[in-house]
Amino acid sequence: MSEAFDVIVIGAGPGGYVCAIRAAQLGMKVACVEKRETLGGTCLNVGCIPSKALLQSSEHYEEALHKLADHGVTVGSVKLDLARMLARKGEVVGANVKGVEFLFRKNKVTWLKGEGSITAPGTVSVAGKDYTAKHIVIASGSESIPLPGVEVDEKQIVTSTGGLELTSVPKHLVVIGGGYIGLELGSVWRRLGAEVTVVEFLDRLVPSMDLEVGKAFERILAKQGIKTKLKTKVMGATKSKKGVTLKLEPAAGGAAEELTADVVLVAIGRRPFVAGLGLDKVGVALDERGRIKVDGHYATNVPGIYALGDVIAGPMLAHKAEEEGVALAEILAGQKPHLNYGAIPGVVYTWPEVASVGETEEQLKARGVAYKIGKFPFTANGRARAMGDMDGFVKILADKATDKVLGAHIIGPDAGTLIAELVLAMEFGASAEDVARTCHAHPSLNEAVKEAALAVDGRALHI
Ligand code: FAD
Ligand code: NAI
């Protein structure tokens, strides 16, 4: 007889493994199917964690090369040991994925190793064996979108996975796509010595970002040496032993040009991954962009089958997937959780970091909402000056009538940490004045958040 579970989760990324753990905490008998050798999904294995390890290491290298001298710290000759840097990244990933295995054991979640396929509602087949469950949760994640004519070989033409594994620093790295991955990995290899050119189809980098912040970001990246070719499309790539030649054309049409690179990183977005799940067999419906369609409770059109994370609509972010995992487990346990999609932060972990939550100025304008702006630059923040990291500013958007915080956008040192205060403010429905009247430690970068909140009412103190 097949083994029976309350919940079988397919995919052990941040959405799936968190859902499995939370369901087990709530007393359900849970299995999680994962075909990778290790748990943790894209995020822990080839995404968030390895990229942040390399961002950290390359930042240290750049500091040693260019920043420490200004602090009166003289180091001898600074050398890059790329093999060690990559090995350390592997160690960081290894510790994290083992951590998830430990959490599975602790919470008595069974790891079913192999590819999971739904053979009938309530039945999942893994490695030739059938398992049954009252609830099946699909958390199969996403994969890189391929670019026709630019064949990925993960050596000369790479996705983020190959881009995290380059064994030598390319002389010229061309990044196709000026989004999260392109700018984070572009920054890593630029710091390690590569010339980096970002080719972006639209007229701006990270198009989802508040325009003013996006423009400041572009200027700062340019100052760091990252070249950008906006409004440009890549028509094809030719590989030779020496490198790759890309054929570029202006997005609006016009004369073509060539660009040569040692390595090309294709980072034009990710798409939901549903292959091999048997969705056709059970009739799970997808939307026009290939995402699994769910209702407000993560239920698909097939009773007993749910989906969450990158494979459904919404930002493709690990913390969004995790929150959905918790929410769904609680729904399955009969609770009534609520996830506020208006307060999910996004962070680009470059230096400076760029972080945002809520609506951009352009979105508020498009909705016809009357708003006030409070802005404060890090040049006027004592801590930023002491650190020597004064690029950027905090921008808070508040409702003109009620003063409620509608959005916040930060470019600057540790923006990804600073944004948490404003996420909490939005979650609590706080006003800019609430943030402004909160006592902030001195000297801290957070004081720039307080000052921006004061500036919403035209009463910033230090500018
Ligand atoms: P995934 O993490 O993709 O996990 C899905 C898992 O399901 C995979 O392990 C896959 O092997 C498994 N699977 C699929 N089908 C089956 C099957 N049939 N049977 C068994 N197993 C199956 N997000 C952030 O929030 N912050 C970051 O800093 C960040 N950095 C990133 C950097 C890079 C380079 C990349 C590529 C992504 C990054 N992301 C980041 C995005 C983040 O990784 C994803 O949003 C997140 O992993 C989505 O979680 P998930 O659980 O939905 O899916
Ligand atoms: P992205 O959506 O962030 O950026 C893709 C960029 O490529 C966009 O600017 C888009 O306009 C551009 N583009 C699309 N087609 C193009 C073409 N043919 N030629 C040139 N440019 C083109 O996607 P990315 O960077 O691949 O990352 C995928 C997702 O992974 C992100 O959207 C994000 O959800 C997640 N991620 C999150 C990170 C974080 O939270 N720090 C880090 C890395 C990834």
Side-chain angles (χ1 to χ4, degrees), residues 184-341:
E184 287 188 356
L185 290 187
S187 290
V188 165
W189 293 107
R190 197 243 352 122
R191 291 168 190 167
L192 299 182
E195 178 191 345
V196 174
T197 307
V198 178
V199 180
E200 165 61 47
F201 183 73
L202 297 177
D203 60 354
R204 50 189 290 209
L205 298 177
V206 204
S208 55
M209 208 178 265
D210 184 270
L211 185 60
E212 191 180 9
V213 172
K215 287 289 163 204
F217 193 24
E218 265 172 55
R219 281 194 299 274
I220 294 169
L221 290 176
K223 229 171 43 181
Q224 293 175 358
I226 291 189
K227 297 193 185 100
T228 44
K229 278 184 172 292
L230 301 177
K231 294 193 264 183
T232 305
K233 59 185 172 190
V234 177
M235 305 305 292
T238 319
K239 277 191 276 187
S240 71
K241 275 197 188 127
K242 280 200 202 140
V244 185
T245 304
L246 293 174
K247 192 173 156 215
L248 309 182
E249 261 183 26
E257 60 168 319
E258 285 189 348
L259 186 64
T260 54
D262 307 278
V263 176
V264 173
L265 167 65
V266 181
I268 58 166
R270 293 179 64 82
R271 65 183 181 191
F273 180 77
V274 293
L277 288 167
L279 300 189
D280 293 352
K281 226 176 278 171
V282 282
V284 170
L286 305 181
D287 70 12
E288 69 297 342
R289 289 170 61 184
R291 303 173 296 197
I292 295 179
K293 266 197 211 172
V294 291
D295 66 12
H297 292 100
Y298 310 105
T300 69
N301 59 316
V302 179
I305 303 183
Y306 304 80
L308 55 79
D310 277 11
V311 80
I312 67 167
M316 288 183 165
L317 296 172
H319 42 282
K320 175 261 192 186
E322 286 186 46
E323 295 301 341
E324 290 178 340
V326 169
L328 177 53
E330 293 178 354
I331 289 168
L332 297 180
Q335 299 182 3
K336 293 191 165 40
H338 174 70
L339 175 50
N340 179 2
Y341 282 93

Side-chain angles (χ1 to χ4, degrees), residues 127-142:
K129 258 182 96 177
D130 280 352
Y131 300 86
T132 61
K134 279 185 226 144
H135 312 290
I136 295 172
V137 177
I138 302 169
S140 51
S142 62

Side-chain angles (χ1 to χ4, degrees), residues 422-447:
L422 292 157
V423 177
L424 192 67
M426 287 190 64
E427 194 63 47
F428 283 14
S431 63
E433 187 182 355
D434 289 328
V435 178
R437 288 197 183 275
T438 304
C439 183
H440 287 67
H442 176 75
S444 67
L445 295 172
N446 305 65
E447 286 175 295

Side-chain angles (χ1 to χ4, degrees), residues 83-144:
R84 172 65 203 136
M85 202 178 273
L86 294 176
R88 178 186 177 277
K89 178 204 66 173
E91 289 159 16
V92 171
V93 168
N96 274 279
V97 298
K98 283 207 187 73
V100 180
E101 253 187 75
F102 162 77
L103 292 173
F104 271 14
R105 280 196 302 276
K106 181 180 164 199
N107 290 284
K108 302 194 173 41
V109 173
T110 304
W111 175 6
L112 301 175
K113 295 185 185 181
E115 187 176 44
S117 172
I118 307 173
T119 47
T123 307
V124 177
S125 164
V126 187
K129 258 182 96 177
D130 280 352
Y131 300 86
T132 61
K134 279 185 226 144
H135 312 290
I136 295 172
V137 177
I138 302 169
S140 51
S142 62
E143 60 179 355
S144 309

